[in-house]
Amino acid sequence: SIPAGTLDGARLAVRGKGAAGPGGGPAGDLIVTIRVAPHPWLRREGDDLVTDLPVSIAEATLGATVRVPLLEGSVQLKVPAGVRSGQRLRVKGKGICPAKGTPGDFLASVLVEAPRSVDAAARRLVEEPAPRLPNPPTGPQWS
């Protein structure tokens, strides 16, 4: 039996199921090393689960509500207006439930994605307000 929340690389002992002791002594312990396969869209950070949440420029600018799949079920997550790439949105208690202790959180790491191409009408709609939008950071580290 593997306890809930067991980490990759953890070692569990199964008492008395190893090889017999020298000279006919009692059997030793069988040591099992746990390997946890990676999940296709979740990664673990301690007891927290993290996923990438792609959002459009419009959703990042204006805000949105999106359905996000959890390990079990899903949740409606409010993306606040003005969210930035890399910002994490938290759902308390929806991460890993360890055998003992408090469950971790579910974190959605925002990835603002620009479209690869736009038609002429969409391009004009973006170009028109561009001079009034804030510029990205400047300074020696960005030169």
Side-chain angles (χ1 to χ4, degrees):
S1 176
I2 299 173
T6 300
L7 293 169
D8 184 62
R11 294 171 49 139
L12 302 176
V14 183
R15 303 272 179 226
K17 296 297 181 183
D29 296 341
L30 170 68
I31 305 298
V32 178
T33 302
I34 305 300
R35 292 289 171 220
V36 179
H39 193 276
W41 45 269
L42 291 174
R43 59 191 176 277
R44 184 172 179 174
E45 293 179 3
D47 287 335
D48 293 336
L49 289 176
V50 183
T51 190
D52 292 329
L53 177 63
V55 298
S56 69
I57 291 174
E59 289 170 323
T61 302
L62 304 173
T65 300
V66 295
R67 181 161 297 282
V68 178
L70 301 172
L71 195 55
E72 293 180 4
S74 63
V75 66
Q76 290 285 106
L77 196 57
K78 184 174 168 64
V79 177
V83 71
R84 294 178 177 221
S85 268
Q87 188 172 334
R88 288 183 167 187
L89 308 177
R90 179 180 309 273
V91 181
K92 290 288 247 183
K94 293 296 184 180
I96 298 292
C97 294
K100 297 178 183 173
T102 308
D105 297 331
F106 182 89
L107 304 168
S109 183
V110 175
L111 296 174
V112 180
E113 293 191 354
R116 293 196 186 277
S117 64
V118 293
D119 62 22
R123 183 174 184 82
R124 284 191 299 277
L125 288 172
V126 172
E127 288 174 340
E128 191 273 323
R132 297 187 304 278
L133 296 174
N135 291 317
T138 58
Q141 72 274 22
W142 301 103
S143 302

